[in-house]
Amino acid sequence: MDDLDCHVAEEREKLFRDTINAVLGEFPDMQSDRMVIGFAAPEIEAWLIADWSNTFAKDLDFRAHHGAMRHCLASQHNVSFAEPENFSTLDEKKDACEEKLSALIMEAALDEANVHYSKAVHTPRLLQEMLVPVVIGKCPLFRQWYRELEKFIPQEQ
């Protein structure tokens, strides 16, 4: 699992798969058929954007100002809450997105809610609150990764 940072998912998956298989080649007893590679596009914060009403809108630190934050992200930075995986484009020189979604969330949180958004504190807390069906509906790469993970969950009989 990694942030895609505006790179092409298929190219990154091949890079990850080739690297993992090269390492596994050193250990013949290890299985590579149970490997699931997933990407957050452009960053994991896109999932939080996708389910805004269950993440930022409900969180104690943001709920009083979530509307202003959302408006700022949408109107000033063209963040799509319907298709958050489509945010930004690759800056070849930086080898990353032209704009970082996480940085814009930090900026909106500080400007609109006077809260320092922390990727280390807030992101994990908000991820626990997001509803998978909502994110599946808005984030195709998340949906693909989640469906692959489901294959490894034992089914009730």
Side-chain angles (χ1 to χ4, degrees):
M1 180 73 211
D2 196 17
D3 285 349
L4 201 50
D5 292 321
C6 295
H7 288 93
V8 177
E10 295 78 14
E11 292 173 10
R12 285 295 181 186
E13 182 171 354
K14 182 179 179 340
L15 176 68
F16 272 56
R17 226 171 258 292
D18 290 350
T19 303
I20 292 167
N21 285 329
V23 171
L24 289 177
E26 303 292 320
F27 304 94
D29 294 340
M30 302 213 38
Q31 296 179 346
S32 65
D33 61 333
R34 295 187 55 87
M35 178 178 19
V36 177
I37 298 172
F39 296 104
E43 302 172 69
I44 201 165
E45 285 77 14
W47 302 349
L48 305 177
I49 295 286
D51 194 12
W52 187 270
S53 62
N54 287 301
T55 56
F56 290 96
K58 287 186 177 178
D59 188 82
L60 184 61
D61 289 343
F62 305 107
R63 67 180 172 206
H65 303 281
H66 82 92
M69 287 175 59
R70 183 179 172 123
H71 177 74
C72 173
L73 291 167
S75 65
Q76 295 177 25
H77 303 291
N78 297 317
V79 173
S80 170
F81 289 79
E83 297 177 326
E85 287 184 333
N86 293 335
F87 180 76
S88 199
T89 56
L90 181 65
D91 180 334
E92 299 277 344
K93 291 179 184 175
K94 292 192 311 187
D95 196 34
C97 295
E98 287 182 13
E99 294 182 287
K100 296 283 286 177
L101 188 55
S102 56
L104 296 179
I105 292 171
M106 288 176 195
E107 181 183 316
L110 191 57
D111 290 351
E112 304 300 334
N114 200 29
V115 173
H116 290 276
Y117 179 84
S118 166
K119 287 182 70 141
V121 173
H122 291 107
T123 300
R125 183 169 82 204
L126 295 172
L127 285 171
Q128 291 178 29
E129 300 304 319
M130 72 174 205
L131 299 179
V132 169
V134 173
V135 180
I136 282 174
K138 295 181 180 181
C139 299
L141 282 174
F142 175 85
R143 179 174 47 247
Q144 177 184 345
W145 174 68
Y146 191 82
R147 296 290 185 233
E148 285 296 314
L149 283 178
E150 282 185 317
K151 293 176 184 177
F152 295 103
I153 300 171
Q155 301 298 313
E156 293 182 31
Q157 296 183 12

